[in-house]
């Protein structure tokens, strides 16, 4: 017999994520100090996903608390195969109203990836980008509510990461997670 998603136990990582949502809501004026303090206490005592969902249910980013949760039919969506883009000695661009797949793999040597997410259509609240490049620049242009996480990117051979985007202007937007490796003077440049 399987428990519903609301009955799944939570630990410190889920509680910290919920506190992050409350911090965002407080700093952008959705909660006053007393609401923030009351809800924070509930989060720290939460035992299940349902407990945490109740605390953030009326906030704009509530649906993003557990992006891997089952769909409305109760069946988790099947993982989709990643979309692979290759850039060997060329530039690969995506801009305007393009559909962002849940998982992207960027491979190549001596090329450039220029991915503009400002008007893009996100199919999931979180997308994963795996980079495996050499002597290649990867440029990501974010919208005002997009969050990027690139702390798992491994750099070697004079490669670098430049995050010029800063934090999102408002909480609740899509999250772009970048992983993988940059080799031989490659660069990851993140802007808004």
């Amino acid at each position: 017999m399987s428990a519903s998603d609301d009955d799944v136990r939570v630990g410190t990582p889920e509680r910290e994520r919920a506190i992050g949502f409350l911090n965002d809501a407080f700093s952008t004026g959705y909660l006053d100090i007393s609401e923030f303090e009351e809800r924070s206490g509930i989060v720290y005592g939460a035992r299940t996903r349902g407990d945490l969902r109740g605390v953030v249910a009326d906030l704009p980013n509530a649906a993003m608390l557990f992006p891997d949760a089952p769909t409305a039919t109760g069946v988790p969506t099947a993982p989709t195969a990643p979309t692979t883009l290759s850039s060997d000695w060329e530039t690969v661009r995506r801009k305007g109203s393009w559909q962002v797949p849940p998982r992207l793999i960027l491979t190549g040597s001596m090329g450039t990836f220029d991915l503009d997410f400002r008007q893009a259509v996100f199919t999931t609240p979180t997308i994963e980008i795996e980079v495996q490049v050499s002597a290649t620049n990867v440029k990501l242009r974010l919208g005002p509510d997009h969050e990027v996480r690139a702390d798992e990117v491994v750099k070697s051979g004079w490669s670098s990461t430049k995050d010029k985007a800063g934090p999102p202007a408002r909480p609740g937007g899509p999250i772009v997670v970048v992983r993988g490796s940059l080799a031989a003077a490659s660069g990851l440049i993140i802007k808004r």
Side-chain angles (χ1 to χ4, degrees):
M1 184 175 190
S2 65
S4 79
D5 186 60
D6 279 348
D7 295 331
V8 173
R9 290 188 68 92
V10 294
T12 303
E14 292 86 1
R15 290 184 195 102
E16 287 177 356
R17 183 164 172 79
I19 289 294
F21 280 37
L22 294 178
N23 281 329
D24 289 344
F26 175 68
S27 67
T28 54
Y30 289 99
L31 296 176
D32 63 30
I33 188 71
S34 63
E35 290 174 305
F36 173 78
E37 289 173 350
E38 177 184 342
R39 292 181 188 212
S40 294
I42 295 169
V43 166
Y44 287 120
R47 291 181 179 239
T48 66
R49 283 185 170 194
D51 295 340
L52 291 180
R53 278 196 181 100
V55 175
V56 300
D58 62 342
L59 300 177
N61 55 358
M64 305 210 30
L65 182 61
F66 299 111
D68 63 335
T71 61
T73 63
V75 178
T77 55
T80 56
T83 301
T84 301
L85 301 175
S86 296
S87 174
D88 289 320
W89 295 87
E90 63 183 5
T91 298
V92 174
R93 282 192 176 86
R94 296 291 184 271
K95 65 180 184 175
S97 183
W98 63 287
Q99 188 167 343
V100 182
R103 295 172 56 210
L104 270 171
I105 297 175
L106 308 181
T107 64
S109 180
M110 303 296 289
T112 300
F113 289 97
D114 191 353
L115 306 178
D116 188 338
F117 295 109
R118 292 176 295 177
Q119 296 175 4
V121 178
F122 285 76
T123 58
T124 56
T126 302
I127 70 155
E128 296 177 15
I129 301 175
E130 176 79 23
V131 294
Q132 297 296 330
V133 297
S134 173
T136 297
N137 281 323
V138 178
K139 300 175 185 177
L140 306 178
R141 171 100 40 187
L142 306 175
D145 61 342
H146 299 152
E147 179 183 343
V148 69
R149 297 176 185 166
D151 52 348
E152 294 183 33
V153 175
V154 177
K155 299 175 286 290
S156 64
W158 296 293
S159 295
S160 65
T161 300
K162 295 179 183 173
D163 186 351
K164 300 176 181 181
R170 57 186 177 265
I175 299 170
V176 179
V177 178
V178 185
R179 297 183 175 102
S181 65
L182 304 171
S186 292
L188 173 62
I189 301 114
I190 303 163
K191 297 181 180 179
R192 288 210 188 271

